[in-house]
């Protein structure tokens, strides 16, 4: 029976054949232990000289790291192994011998590993991060589908950008200038006026010369947008969604979390509702903590966000930022024109901002005024203004950064490990 | 109770409030019928003068197309309506009055509608197509998750392209040249060697000066890639996946298929297995049908594909194309070096090719030879060659074009209606 490691539990006591790679091995004179992987999991193959004979045993002992093979054996229940099973090998065929595999069990430098990203992905740790990423993606589709959101694919190539023209990748679209999207939000707003509740989920691009553990040049964003939803309900959707992500990872990725040494107690605390603090109160808190580098109207940097987050064991919403710090489309507070109905969601443990969101301006005249104040071209935003001309409604939305969320839930230090082929400053290969 | 049209069946006999837009209306002296939409569905609101009084009735009669409102009413069971319910209106508040909405119930030209795509999406027909698109996306994630595939996000920005450098969008990546991806396949192959079974699902770009009903400049592709899978099993995955898509749309989109006037009997026929015909036999068939414009070694055009498809009531695999017609990475037939182990899947009813797939070359020396024969740079493909150096295994994959599939299953003539904001030749707005 040909099967995969993930399904091997269905065949306890039976003989199966796996296509697999040799991740690692150790052996004595009489017995060899093969660490096999096939992408669906890891399992130990036990080769006993007395059972398989001299030749097969010698071949097993000579297997090199990352050689590919079809291996046949009897499935044994083994409670000590993470998968719960091991394989008593009865025979194997090498498909392709791997010589001098560059990533050995010893330590390697980051640049070397990144140059070999196409191979590094095979390591146990990188596979674990990729499986958690996959689960978060799946849980996202599950969540929004269950709540009647339609996936709305916003365009990547646009003639303009939502927040001005800095940090944009440019290309020639036949005879026109085009730019790579930094956000699908404005298109999602048009979608929400048609379909009620929508979400985008696609790649976004920022040509930013940042080299921090939280920045990628190309990253994936989830941007829900909801008609007839105001500020408070927007926060409720966010905490519900993020709690669903944490619960899904806890439920489906115990093996991966263990591989990564993640403190799961920290994830178990992630349940709605999340605490909220206004920008004003957050500023007071920072001053109390001794930060004297910041006054009203300044944006929070990573150290500030981390200091605020340390106050809570759940993600925290920082709300009502100064209008001057935020994009043109955010709805002002009804009682105070100098702050907007926005919130950033800051993850615990120093992982920083994972969501930015707000209620959007629905009044035509105010939006037109803001476009002028921000020196944006009214012509470019004509279609966006139309959404306020024809049946405008209160609406809100937010954007969650996939890679930062994967980093946080996985407990991985740097976002470069959270995407299969990271694009960083000076890193466009492989 | 605030609710949405999709959930209104839960409140039969009760009073509810909906946020909605006026899609259309008709009225007599005593009764007005409001066609309401909220993105989750359509429902008829009935306003009876004798019940609501003179003022409310007059206001209802004066409501303009696409005005937004909060409307309150009693949910009534009504078997004649598509949703099964209608609303006896007790009152409403206009949120925003819509004046001179540009898309009236009369006929409009395509360019006008495309210029107003952000509004056109609100029409019943466009919503129906978008909901079918959403369902196909959802069914895709469902299918691959169930079968242990991991989503693998391949990069959009790359230093090179899989099939040479024609028809590529170029950009500056800081000091380097970069291109927008036309396919995630090569990266998916690296992913399959790590994770066993993967699929990409993202936007792809082709700077092609084509202006046909089957071409978009920016379109979405689903590209699964599977380790230890050879040619025949690859076709089995494809027919299983496409059958799942058709069944999902039939199961969940009956209202939308009706709106679009789709002949659902044609979709009910879409069940695995699908017929297969070799390139050689297809050529013979074409000659029998009187096509004298094609000889062995020529690629099939749309008229040829349509003629072949007409022979079958299901999608048909055309297999074993001449090696010279296909990309460098396809595995040659073991018995004949002049054809490769590939298949294109041609949809019925003239919708053309929806899948291209193949077994991939797993032999290092052969792949290296092909790269040279195609005048590709070995340096660019060094990482790709590594996949054959370290534990190479037989593997296969395919790519399904989302928009063509949506067009086919929806019965929509032109792919421009199958994506929220189409990018076409001379069309980068809105
Ligand atoms: Mg911030
Ligand atoms: Mg073709």
């Amino acid at each position: 029976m040909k099967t995969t490691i993930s399904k091997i539990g269905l065949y306890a006591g039976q003989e199966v054949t796996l296509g697999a790679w040799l991740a690692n091995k150790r052996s004595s004179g009489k017995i060899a232990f093969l660490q096999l992987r096939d992408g669906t999991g890891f399992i130990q193959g036990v080769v006993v000289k007395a059972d398989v004979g001299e030749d097969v045993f010698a071949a097993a002992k000579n297997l090199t790291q990352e050689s590919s093979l079809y291996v046949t054996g009897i499935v044994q229940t083994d409670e000590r192994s993470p998968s719960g099973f091991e394989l008593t090998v009865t025979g194997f065929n090498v498909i392709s011998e791997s010589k001098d595999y560059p990533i050995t069990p010893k330590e390697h430098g980051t640049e070397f590993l990144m140059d070999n990203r196409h191979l590094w992905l095979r390591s146990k740790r990188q596979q674990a991060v990729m499986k958690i990423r996959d689960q978060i993606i799946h849980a996202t589709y599950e969540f929004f589908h269950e709540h009647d959101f339609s996936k709305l694919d916003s365009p990547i190539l646009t003639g303009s950008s939502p927040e001005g023209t800095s940090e944009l990748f440019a290309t020639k679209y036949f005879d026109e200038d085009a730019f790579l999207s930094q956000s699908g939000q404005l298109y999602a707003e048009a979608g929400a006026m048609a379909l009620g509740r929508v979400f985008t989920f696609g790649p976004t691009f920022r040509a930013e010369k940042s080299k921090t553990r939280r920045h990628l040049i190309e990253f994936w964003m989830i941007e829900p947008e909801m008609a007839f939803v105001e500020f408070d309900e927007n926060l409720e959707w966010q905490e519900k969604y993020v709690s669903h992500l944490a619960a899904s990872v806890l439920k489906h990725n115990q093996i991966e979390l263990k591989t990564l040494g993640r403190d799961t107690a920290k994830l178990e605390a992630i349940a709605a509702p999340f605490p909220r603090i206004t920008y004003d109160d957050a500023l007071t808190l920072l001053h109390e903590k001794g930060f004297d580098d910041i006054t009203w109207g300044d944006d929070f940097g990573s150290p500030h966000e981390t200091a605020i987050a340390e106050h809570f064991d759940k993600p925290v919403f920082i709300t009502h930022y100064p209008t001057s710090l935020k994009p043109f489309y955010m709805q002002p507070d009804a009682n105070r024109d100098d702050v907007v109905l926005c919130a950033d969601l800051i993850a615990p443990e120093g992982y920083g901002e994972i969501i930015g969101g707000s209620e959007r301006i629905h009044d035509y005249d105010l939006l037109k005024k803001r476009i002028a104040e921000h020196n944006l071209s009214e012509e470019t935003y004509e279609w966006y203004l139309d959404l306020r001309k024809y049946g405008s409604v209160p609406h809100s939305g937010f954007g969650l950064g996939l890679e930062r969320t994967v980093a946080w839930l996985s407990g991985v230090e740097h976002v470069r490990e959270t995407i299969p082929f990271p694009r960083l400053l000076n890193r466009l290969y492989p």
Side-chain angles (χ1 to χ4, degrees), chain A:
Chain A
M1 176 58 67
K2 196 182 156 191
T3 188
T4 57
I5 294 171
S6 62
K7 297 264 186 290
I8 213 159
L10 302 173
Y11 305 99
Q14 297 177 47
E15 187 170 77
V16 298
T17 297
L18 298 172
W21 291 267
L22 185 77
N24 210 340
K25 69 160 197 269
R26 61 195 167 83
S27 59
S28 68
K30 294 175 177 175
I31 191 160
F33 298 98
L34 311 180
Q35 292 303 326
L36 300 168
R37 64 167 195 88
D38 72 350
T40 74
F42 287 80
I43 197 167
Q44 178 163 273
V46 183
V47 192
V48 180
K49 190 177 177 178
D51 295 344
V52 296
E54 200 94 16
D55 293 352
V56 173
F57 186 73
K61 281 190 75 165
N62 286 329
L63 280 173
T64 53
Q65 190 192 350
E66 282 303 312
S67 286
S68 50
L69 47 158
Y70 285 115
V71 52
T72 300
I74 314 289
V75 181
Q76 313 286 358
T77 307
D78 176 19
E79 287 181 4
R80 293 159 308 171
S81 100
S83 69
F85 300 93
E86 67 171 34
L87 197 70
T88 303
V89 175
T90 52
F92 63 88
N93 290 313
V94 173
I95 303 168
S96 172
E97 194 186 346
S98 171
K99 283 179 200 145
D100 304 320
Y101 186 68
I103 305 176
T104 56
K106 69 159 191 172
E107 285 282 314
H108 296 280
T110 299
E111 283 308 296
F112 177 82
L113 291 169
M114 294 292 282
D115 285 342
N116 287 286
R117 183 64 177 166
H118 55 296
L119 302 175
W120 189 26
L121 284 171
R122 302 180 183 189
S123 79
K124 202 166 196 165
R125 179 181 157 86
Q126 297 305 313
Q127 280 193 50
V129 180
M130 288 302 120
K131 280 180 195 289
I132 290 173
R133 179 185 172 101
D134 175 62
Q135 182 57 46
I136 291 171
I137 294 170
H138 184 73
T140 294
Y141 279 94
E142 200 174 58
F143 179 84
F144 290 111
H145 186 77
E146 189 190 325
H147 294 290
D148 284 336
F149 288 69
S150 295
K151 169 100 196 279
L152 185 111
D153 292 310
S154 55
I156 308 301
L157 291 169
T158 55
S160 62
S161 143
E163 306 183 29
T165 48
S166 66
E167 300 172 350
L168 282 173
F169 286 105
T171 189
K172 265 298 178 205
Y173 190 85
F174 306 104
D175 299 328
E176 294 175 78
D177 290 319
F179 304 93
L180 300 193
S181 175
Q182 294 192 338
S183 162
Q185 178 202 314
L186 306 199
Y187 292 98
E189 288 182 58
M193 300 305 127
L195 298 159
R197 293 175 190 168
V198 300
F199 71 109
T200 74
F201 191 169
T204 52
F205 304 87
R206 206 162 287 240
E208 196 180 348
K209 292 205 166 172
S210 292
K211 221 178 164 175
T212 82
R213 68 186 188 87
R214 296 179 183 178
H215 284 90
L216 291 166
I217 304 296
E218 178 179 322
F219 56 101
W220 287 64
M221 275 225 287
I222 296 113
E223 297 183 280
E225 196 70 33
M226 299 158 283
F228 307 106
V229 165
E230 301 181 27
F231 177 65
D232 283 320
E233 189 181 342
N234 193 27
L235 301 195
E236 286 162 22
W237 281 107
Q238 292 171 54
E239 60 197 7
K240 210 161 137 179
Y241 168 45
V242 171
S243 301
H244 175 72
L245 296 182
S248 296
V249 168
L250 275 170
K251 184 169 177 191
H252 298 287
N253 295 108
Q254 282 297 327
I255 290 177
E256 290 78 18
L257 292 169
K258 203 170 169 189
T259 296
L260 296 167
R262 184 68 172 111
D263 179 354
T264 52
K266 290 235 162 67
L267 299 186
E268 273 150 22
I270 311 307
F274 295 164
R276 287 146 209 224
I277 184 171
T278 63
Y279 172 90
D280 288 359
D281 289 345
L283 193 66
T284 304
L285 184 71
L286 289 171
H287 288 158
E288 283 166 11
K289 283 178 181 261
F291 285 90
D292 55 7
D293 59 342
I294 188 165
T295 57
W296 201 94
D298 293 341
D299 204 0
F300 297 147
S302 289
H304 308 114
E305 286 177 354
T306 300
I308 297 161
E310 271 169 8
H311 230 69
F312 306 94
D313 57 357
K314 293 184 186 185
V316 54
F317 288 113
I318 307 178
T319 69
H320 299 85
Y321 279 74
T323 309
S324 58
L325 289 177
K326 292 292 178 183
F328 72 96
Y329 47 70
M330 292 192 178
Q331 175 73 15
D333 187 289
N335 306 309
R336 279 179 66 182
D337 201 39
D338 62 339
V339 298
V340 281
L341 295 178
C342 72
D344 286 357
L345 184 66
I346 314 298
E349 304 173 70
Y351 283 96
E353 181 188 332
I354 54 168
I355 289 183
S358 76
E359 186 171 330
R360 320 307 188 184
I361 290 174
H362 59 266
D363 182 72
Y364 180 84
D365 293 325
L366 177 60
L367 185 63
K368 195 166 162 174
K369 189 174 148 227
R370 286 278 197 269
I371 285 172
E373 283 168 2
H374 284 251
N375 295 313
L376 300 169
S377 132
E378 199 177 302
E379 198 190 335
T380 301
Y381 291 96
E382 200 183 332
W383 69 267
Y384 186 62
L385 278 161
D386 273 359
L387 306 179
R388 279 71 180 174
K389 202 186 251 173
Y390 304 112
S392 188
V393 302
H395 62 289
S396 302
F398 62 93
L400 175 134
L402 175 62
E403 286 75 17
R404 287 190 185 179
T405 305
V406 175
W408 165 45
L409 294 178
S410 305
V412 159
E413 178 77 7
H414 197 298
V415 288
R416 70 182 162 226
E417 291 187 43
T418 64
I419 188 164
F421 294 92
R423 295 304 182 233
L424 303 158
L425 217 55
N426 309 320
R427 166 67 58 196
L428 190 57
Y429 179 95

